Amino acid sequence: MFFFTHSRSDGKVILAKIIVITSGKGGVGKTTTSAAIGTGLALRGFKTVIVDFDVGLRNLDLIMGCERRVVYDFVNLINGDSNLNQTLIKDKRSDNLYILPASQTRDKDALTQEGVEKVLEELKQTFDYIVCDSPAGIEKGAHLAMYFADEAVVVTNPEVSSVRDSDRILGLLSSKSRRAESGERIKEHLLLTRYNPARAELGEMLTVSDVEDILSIPLLGVIPESQAVLKASNQGVPVIMDEISDAGQAYGDAVDRLLGETKPHRFLEAQKKSLLQRLFGGR
Amino acid sequence: MSLFDYFRDRKKPAKTASVAKERLQIIVAHERGQRSQPDYLPQLQQEIIDVISKYVQIDRDQVHVALDNQNDCSILELNVTLPERP
Ligand SMILES: Nc1ncnc2c1ncn2[C@@H]1O[C@H](COP(=O)(O)OP(=O)(O)OP(=O)(O)O)[C@@H](O)[C@H]1O
Ligand SMILES: [Mg+2]
């Protein structure tokens, strides 16, 4: 295997890294997370591309707020209908950030392993980080999104089916990936999202440590259930840009940890409500 | 949370998370075990059932086949429960 190394503007030589955001179960927050982590990496100076692998259900463009600038897509690029320059969409907020939109074709076989490999190799020449937003499920799209990854962020909600599916995905990461096939491991991270500390404290919802006990992989972060996420998606701004929101800050911490920093986990405890707030249902 | 919820919740805290955790631990352990099993195991199990059925009447779920890996040796465990003699 060979790695293409290159230097950033500050002269640091790093290896291009492929990170897959995956979960098995649908609707747990993969796209929200891909947008947040990709943007966070770019804001910290790394040249980053976020790749939407959800063929037929393109949504990353909406979350990133670039839906009206999509001309070509991933499948066009694989088929040689367009080149990288024409296909990548530059983010309006960061010069380091690009988006590769998914194709809206209904042909589930539009992505091929060779095609994906060719595009990823090309992206490795220019980018420090390639963030792959996986579709739900364990079919071809999810398989291709994880196959070439160096690291995986397993997005999990504190709920039985999501945790079970995450474990399923961990099994696939350690058997059906290029790294696994060559006897290496994909570095795994647990990202617990939509966490409700108040319900966890009441014993109504799995706690952070419950999920850690079951999945036993290192915890990258805990993203609280937050109104800021819907607000951000309404506007097409990744929630990590909302720096005063709890979810925005939690994603910021997760990106720092991904880059090797140790930071205490925040937003694990319920905000104490006053008696009056509790009686009148205040938030 | 309304006034009504407030009093109802106080009376009956629903501590279902511990049930969820227990169920998950069991199913995840079971599925991890199956993951490490070779692909031919279900087929092997079916053929063993077929052979035994030639001689005695048995139910599918009365035959258990498992492969256990211990260090450098694998043990194929076959467990058949035969029907009670008439
Ligand atoms: N921390 C959070 N707080 C509140 N809502 C959230 C949070 N994270 C995600 N959501 C909401 O959950 C829904 C699903 O999120 P998202 O699209 O990111 O999931 P997904 O895993 O990419 O889904 P799919 O499997 O369909 O691709 C969205 O409506 C999103 O706004
Ligand atoms: Mg998605």
Side-chain angles (χ1 to χ4, degrees), chain A residues 249-266:
Chain A
Q249 291 177 19
Y251 271 120
D253 288 357
V255 173
D256 290 335
R257 290 191 201 100
L258 198 60
L259 293 168
E261 266 184 65
T262 22
K263 286 197 146 184
H265 292 279
R266 296 192 275 169

Side-chain angles (χ1 to χ4, degrees), chain A residues 23-33 54 57 59 63 133-137 155 157 193-195 223-230 233 247 251:
Chain A
S23 71
K25 187 166 161 63
V28 295
K30 291 178 294 296
T31 302
T32 305
T33 300
D54 210 340
L57 294 168
N59 272 324
I63 301 302
D133 180 15
S134 174
V155 180
N157 291 167
T193 63
R194 310 203 68 162
Y195 191 62
I223 314 298
E225 171 78 25
S226 167
Q227 301 180 352
V229 173
L230 182 61
S233 70
Y251 271 120

Side-chain angles (χ1 to χ4, degrees), chain B:
Chain B
M1 205 191 275
S2 71
L3 190 60
F4 174 73
D5 289 338
Y6 180 67
F7 288 108
R8 193 194 55 189
D9 284 4
R10 290 201 112 189
K11 249 191 270 153
K12 191 174 62 106
K15 298 224 159 67
T16 51
S18 53
V19 181
K21 184 179 185 185
E22 229 178 275
R23 291 174 59 220
L24 273 169
Q25 278 172 324
I26 294 167
I27 189 67
V28 162
H30 175 74
E31 288 178 344
R32 280 182 192 162
Q34 290 200 320
R35 226 181 268 159
S36 53
Q37 305 251 314
D39 295 338
Y40 62 73
L41 220 60
Q43 172 104 39
L44 181 83
Q45 173 160 7
Q46 186 53 50
E47 287 182 26
I48 288 171
I49 293 169
D50 292 345
V51 170
I52 297 174
S53 306
K54 281 205 227 166
Y55 303 93
V56 270
Q57 275 243 295
I58 46 160
D59 277 344
R60 225 204 122 76
D61 55 359
Q62 296 305 310
V63 178
H64 291 278
V65 181
L67 196 67
D68 205 8
N69 291 310
Q70 288 169 346
N71 302 323
D72 53 353
C73 83
S74 305
I75 300 167
L76 181 69
E77 200 184 290
L78 178 61
N79 198 334
V80 185
T81 314
L82 294 177
E84 281 179 33
R85 269 181 238 153

